[in-house]
Amino acid sequence: MFQRSLYVCGGIIGSLAIASLFLSSLVSVKAINTEPRNSGARATQTSTASPIINQKGIKTAVFAGGCFWGTEAVFEHLKGVSNVVSGYSGGSAATANYEAVGSGQTGHAESIIITYDPSQISYEKLLEVYFYVAHDPTQLNRQGPDRGTQYRSAIFFTNSEQQQIAAAYIERLNQTKSFSKPVVTQLAPLESFYAAEDYHQDFIVHNPDYPYVVAHDLPKLAQLRKQFPEIYKE
C-alpha cells in the first residue's frame, strides 16, 4: 500500500459509512477531508479507440493528470468545449470502478474525455491548458498529495494525428526547458474510456467548499481565468 496524505483524492478514509453519508447528504461533505467512495456504483464504457466525431465535426480528447475532479473542472470552463466526463482509461472493464482503480493495480488512470469543436478550440490549445494549468506534467505517478499510477500524467490519443501533435508538443516542452524538470507525460492509444460513478461528475460544481477542492482545484480555475482569459467561460 502506498502512503497518502489526508487531502488525497482517493483517500484511505473512504469507508462505506462515509460514502453512504456523502451520497445521502452533500451538505455534510465539508467535514470530510478525502474523496468518499461508493463501491456499489458501476462505470460504463462511453468511448472506444476510435475518435468520436459527429456530423458537425465535434471531436474528443482524453487526458489524465491526477484527480479527475480538478481536470474536469478546468476543461469545462473552456470556450469550444461542450462536455467533459470523468472516468477511467488504461485498464479493463472489469476493474473500471473507483474502489478497484484506487488500488493502483488496475492499469487505469483517472481521466477525462473532452468533447470539443475544433473550429472554436484546437487540440494544441487543449494541450497548452493541460500542461500549464490542469496538472504538473513533471510529477511521475502522482499529482500533489495523490500518489499512485492511477494519478499518472497521460495522454490517450484517438488517432495518429493526435499522437504526432502531442509527441511534438512534449518534445518542444523538454527542449525549451519550459519546466524545471523533464515532462514525464505518457502517450498511449485510447483503447477504451469508462465513465466514473455519478457522484464524481461535476464534483466541484456540487461541492465548491469541499476541503480538497478548495486546496487543490479552485486555484487551478483561478489560474485558468488569469492565464487564458480569451478562452475562459463561466
Side-chain angles (χ1 to χ4, degrees):
M1 286 292 292
F2 48 87
Q3 298 297 316
R4 308 187 187 199
S5 78
L6 287 179
Y7 282 113
V8 175
C9 176
I12 59 175
I13 309 178
S15 64
L16 290 177
I18 292 178
S20 176
L21 178 61
F22 170 80
L23 292 174
S24 63
S25 176
L26 289 176
V27 176
S28 63
V29 77
K30 295 181 182 180
I32 305 173
N33 287 332
T34 55
E35 182 177 281
R37 297 175 181 269
N38 179 5
S39 59
R42 291 185 178 181
T44 56
Q45 185 173 354
T46 61
S47 175
T48 62
S50 299
I52 300 174
I53 305 176
N54 68 14
Q55 65 274 18
K56 295 182 179 180
I58 299 302
K59 296 185 178 182
T60 59
V62 177
F63 299 147
C67 178
F68 42 32
W69 295 346
T71 52
E72 177 194 83
V74 166
F75 286 96
E76 284 180 333
H77 283 278
L78 294 182
K79 296 177 181 177
V81 171
S82 58
N83 191 43
V84 185
V85 176
S86 291
Y88 313 109
S89 295
S92 68
T95 58
N97 65 80
Y98 188 66
E99 289 294 332
V101 173
S103 71
Q105 305 299 313
T106 67
H108 280 296
E110 290 197 10
S111 309
I112 55 170
I113 186 167
I114 304 162
T115 303
Y116 70 100
D117 183 347
S119 69
Q120 298 185 47
I121 188 168
S122 67
Y123 185 68
E124 290 88 342
K125 182 59 71 173
L126 294 178
L127 288 175
E128 187 177 359
V129 172
Y130 170 69
F131 283 110
Y132 286 103
V133 177
H135 83 309
D136 182 348
T138 69
Q139 295 189 8
L140 182 63
N141 294 331
R142 62 168 294 185
Q143 200 63 206
D146 301 327
R147 292 172 170 79
T149 58
Q150 70 272 34
Y151 299 115
R152 66 186 181 274
S153 174
I155 295 172
F156 295 93
F157 54 85
T158 65
N159 53 38
S160 59
E161 181 183 15
Q162 285 190 354
Q163 180 183 18
Q164 293 169 5
I165 294 173
Y169 201 101
I170 292 172
E171 182 179 4
R172 185 164 66 251
L173 289 175
N174 283 327
Q175 287 181 344
T176 58
K177 297 183 178 179
S178 298
F179 299 95
S180 59
K181 298 178 182 179
V183 172
V184 297
T185 304
Q186 299 176 353
L187 286 179
L190 177 64
E191 296 181 356
S192 58
F193 178 90
Y194 304 93
E197 295 80 356
D198 288 344
Y199 70 90
H200 288 300
Q201 309 302 330
D202 295 315
F203 188 87
I204 293 178
V205 173
H206 299 299
N207 306 281
D209 297 325
Y210 190 75
Y212 182 97
V213 168
V214 173
H216 302 288
D217 295 330
L218 295 187
K220 292 181 182 180
L221 296 181
Q223 182 182 354
L224 177 66
R225 187 185 296 107
K226 179 179 180 180
Q227 194 167 337
F228 295 94
E230 72 283 0
I231 58 173
Y232 181 87
K233 68 178 181 182
E234 294 294 342

